[in-house]
Amino acid sequence: MSRPTSTTSGWRDAARRRLAPRAARTRIIGWVLLLVLLALALLTFLTWRLLVRATDERMDTALAAEVEEFDRITASGIDPDTGAPFASVADVLQTVITYNLARPNEKFLGYVDGAYRFQSRIEAPVLLSEDAAFTRLVGGVTDTVSGSYASGAGEVRYLAVPVTLEGDPARGVAVVAYFADQERQAADETAQLMLGVGALTVLLAAAGAWVVAGRVLAPVRAVAATARGISETDLSGRIPVDGRPADELTDLAVAVNAMLDRVGNGVAAQRRFLDDAGHELRTPITIVRGHLDVLDPADPDDVRSTVALVDDELERMNRMVSELLLLARAEQPAFVRPQPVDVAELTTDVFGKVRRLGERDWQLGAVARADLVLDPQRVTQAVAALADNAVRYTAPGDRVVLGSRLSGGDLLVWVDDAGPGVAEADQARVFERFARGSAGARRSDGAGLGLSIVRAIASAHGGRVELHSRPGEGATFTLVLPARPAPPRDAAPDDLAAGPDGTVDDALATPALPEPVPTEGGAR
């Protein structure tokens, strides 16, 4: 069996993309029509039941009215036609049936001694007078009886009233009956009409839902089209949102555009990072190769100087790779291992370490008195990097101050120097990877990763780094970390500093001083 070609696979993918919006559109229409059908069915059923109940109540009321009419005629005992007393029960029944005009689907019947004798003149769907079962049911009742009877024409609702006359031993029964199914025909026709109108309504609803679903799904199609138009080299596509009313789909389009902006910025930063990293790593290689090409093996002095240069460049490359790996690890949850720390003791210890970085006027400023939860190794690493940065841009004897204090819910740890300061144009970018000072600014030969590492450490703690500086007036770098209080010292030991297996990662150890993480080009 041959494998499908890429052309066939592409055609199938395109077909699926074309059908996907229509499938969603069809599902929307299906749900809309289902809801419309359920609503129409419920409305039709309720209307039909209300009409049927009203018809039944009307028939019951009419039956009760006929009984009152029977009682009125028979109670007087006088024949309305002659004015003389009734001669027999048969005369009473004939007069009662004659004087009561039967409505459509209504029937009056008279029985004497259990046998049929009289009926109203209006014909009904079936002749109840010929129905022996009905005659047996009502012909011999001795009390007023009402009920229903299943005839050949459907349900019959009836009321049978016994009739007697003094002096006549015969026993009569006057019956008024309604053919209920025929009486309810109007309700049935109304329900059928509603079903017909409902079917037309469903068709109109389907057409309207098709149009509305298309407009509703337009932003979704725009999202899909934009996503298909984005490639590895082109991230400029955005979903148009101008002029749209604010709704959930507009929020979706705005959110997707914002996400694309972040992705684009991230990809651009990654490309810049890769370009800069490649350039920085190629530079030592080029230097080493150039010196090796002109090396004179017969000249011991040339060999020693070249070996020293190669060793220095390899050390610089090793340090750069270590910093890049450190920044990569900053994205991992285990980058910091918080534990209870005495901030005053930590500040004093760090100050004692950084004093060996250079001959400066080192001063210990304010010291925060608190026990907080943070990673002492990473904080030491960040402060050492800031102190090394200060040493690089100050002269022997210049003032460098280190201190810490609590401010609201934050812990502030700062390094202040009396160096040349940072130009305002550079302050927003000194923390970027491979950052360099602007033209004319003081530069160094490092990779510019030190302050990026400081920012990564602060971010991993949930904090940030702030810079306050004016050219010629020095600079103050401040770590702003959340001040999370540590549990009481007599509580169970906190194992937050340990790794998942209970051990401490050696890679988290503070770099040996006086060789902290450098910040050559990333400062000012």
Side-chain angles (χ1 to χ4, degrees):
M1 181 181 293
S2 62
R3 300 176 65 180
T5 63
S6 59
T7 302
T8 303
S9 177
W11 178 83
R12 290 176 179 173
D13 293 341
R16 281 195 293 268
R17 287 196 298 267
R18 288 194 299 270
L19 291 176
R22 295 191 178 185
R25 201 175 193 179
T26 302
R27 287 195 297 271
I28 292 175
I29 294 173
W31 282 108
V32 169
L33 293 185
L34 178 61
L35 293 176
V36 172
L37 285 174
L38 291 176
L40 289 176
L42 180 61
L43 177 62
T44 301
F45 177 76
L46 291 178
T47 302
W48 175 70
R49 288 303 306 165
L50 290 174
L51 291 175
V52 168
R53 187 174 71 176
T55 301
D56 291 345
E57 291 176 351
R58 186 173 68 253
M59 288 188 291
D60 292 339
T61 302
L63 290 175
E66 298 299 343
V67 171
E68 293 179 358
E69 183 68 14
F70 289 167
D71 292 341
R72 185 182 63 79
I73 294 176
T74 57
S76 64
I78 304 298
D79 187 342
D81 290 336
T82 63
F86 289 111
S88 63
V89 169
D91 291 341
V92 175
L93 292 175
Q94 185 176 17
T95 300
V96 167
I97 293 174
T98 300
Y99 272 85
N100 283 277
L101 180 63
R103 301 179 180 87
N105 303 316
E106 186 181 23
K107 191 72 172 177
F108 294 105
L109 300 168
Y111 297 86
V112 177
D113 292 333
Y116 162 74
R117 291 289 300 275
F118 309 100
Q119 70 174 340
S120 56
R121 291 187 293 274
I122 297 179
E123 294 295 329
V126 295
L127 296 177
L128 291 177
S129 58
E130 299 176 1
D131 191 330
F134 186 72
T135 299
R136 288 193 299 272
L137 179 65
V138 301
V141 299
T142 57
D143 294 317
T144 300
V145 177
S146 62
S148 62
Y149 171 73
S151 70
E155 180 186 0
V156 174
R157 298 171 71 93
Y158 67 90
L159 192 149
V161 181
V163 177
T164 58
L165 185 65
E166 187 176 354
D168 186 353
R171 303 185 66 85
V173 178
V175 178
V176 54
Y178 267 100
F179 290 91
D181 288 347
Q182 284 70 34
E183 192 70 13
R184 297 170 183 150
Q185 187 64 36
D188 296 339
E189 292 176 353
T190 300
Q192 293 172 2
L193 178 61
M194 292 184 66
L195 289 176
V197 173
L200 179 61
T201 302
V202 168
L203 294 178
L204 294 176
W210 180 266
V211 175
V212 172
R215 296 179 62 87
V216 170
L217 292 175
V220 179
R221 290 195 296 270
V223 171
T226 302
R228 288 194 297 269
I230 292 176
S231 64
E232 295 180 357
T233 57
D234 183 11
L235 297 174
S236 60
R238 296 295 182 270
I239 304 170
V241 294
D242 295 338
R244 288 186 188 170
D247 55 18
E248 291 81 359
L249 292 175
T250 301
D251 293 341
L252 171 63
V254 172
V256 171
N257 286 341
M259 179 192 68
L260 292 175
D261 290 338
R262 293 192 297 270
V263 171
N265 294 335
V267 171
Q270 184 183 42
R271 289 173 181 168
R272 291 194 302 270
F273 174 77
L274 293 176
D275 292 341
D276 293 340
H279 172 74
E280 294 291 340
L281 292 174
R282 279 196 302 269
T283 300
I285 296 174
T286 302
I287 294 174
V288 170
R289 179 177 296 172
H291 282 77
L292 290 178
D293 287 341
V294 298
L295 173 66
D296 183 3
D299 185 352
D301 293 336
D302 191 17
V303 171
R304 282 194 298 271
S305 63
T306 301
V307 169
L309 181 142
V310 170
D311 183 69
D312 183 67
E313 292 299 320
L314 289 178
E315 177 62 26
R316 189 157 69 95
M317 289 180 63
N318 179 66
R319 191 167 54 206
M320 190 184 309
V321 171
S322 299
E323 292 172 354
L324 290 174
L325 291 175
L326 181 63
L327 286 173
R329 292 195 60 182
E331 304 296 331
Q332 301 178 4
F335 178 63
V336 294
R337 305 293 179 87
Q339 64 185 50
V341 174
D342 184 337
V343 178
E345 181 179 349
L346 176 63
T347 304
T348 304
D349 289 345
V350 174
F351 179 75
K353 294 176 181 180
V354 300
R355 292 183 65 179
R356 294 176 292 165
L357 292 174
E359 295 296 329
R360 302 292 186 270
D361 180 15
W362 295 96
Q363 299 179 14
L364 180 61
V367 176
R369 307 288 179 179
D371 290 337
L372 303 179
V373 176
L374 48 83
D375 187 332
Q377 295 178 343
R378 291 301 185 196
V379 172
T380 299
Q381 186 177 11
V383 176
L386 294 177
D388 182 72
N389 183 72
V391 169
R392 290 178 180 276
Y393 296 104
T394 55
D398 286 348
R399 173 185 53 82
V400 179
V401 182
L402 186 150
S404 63
R405 66 183 177 88
L406 294 174
S407 176
D410 295 323
L411 168 65
L412 308 183
V413 182
W414 70 87
V415 175
D416 177 70
D417 65 64
V422 182
E424 185 175 355
D426 293 334
Q427 292 184 16
R429 56 187 298 271
V430 292
F431 297 102
E432 297 178 2
R433 299 173 182 180
F434 302 107
R436 287 290 190 270
S438 58
R442 185 174 178 179
R443 303 166 65 94
S444 65
D445 58 355
L449 294 173
L451 291 182
S452 297
I453 293 174
V454 173
R455 182 174 63 177
I457 292 173
S459 298
H461 280 84
R464 63 187 185 278
V465 183
E466 295 181 351
L467 168 59
H468 302 280
S469 176
R470 290 185 181 180
E473 298 182 5
T476 302
F477 290 86
T478 305
L479 283 172
V480 183
L481 307 177
R484 291 187 285 266
R489 292 183 180 272
D490 56 352
D494 193 342
D495 61 351
L496 291 175
D501 58 354
T503 62
V504 177
D505 192 348
D506 292 338
L508 297 179
T510 305
L513 295 174
E515 295 180 2
V517 177
T519 60
E520 295 91 6
R524 41 191 186 272

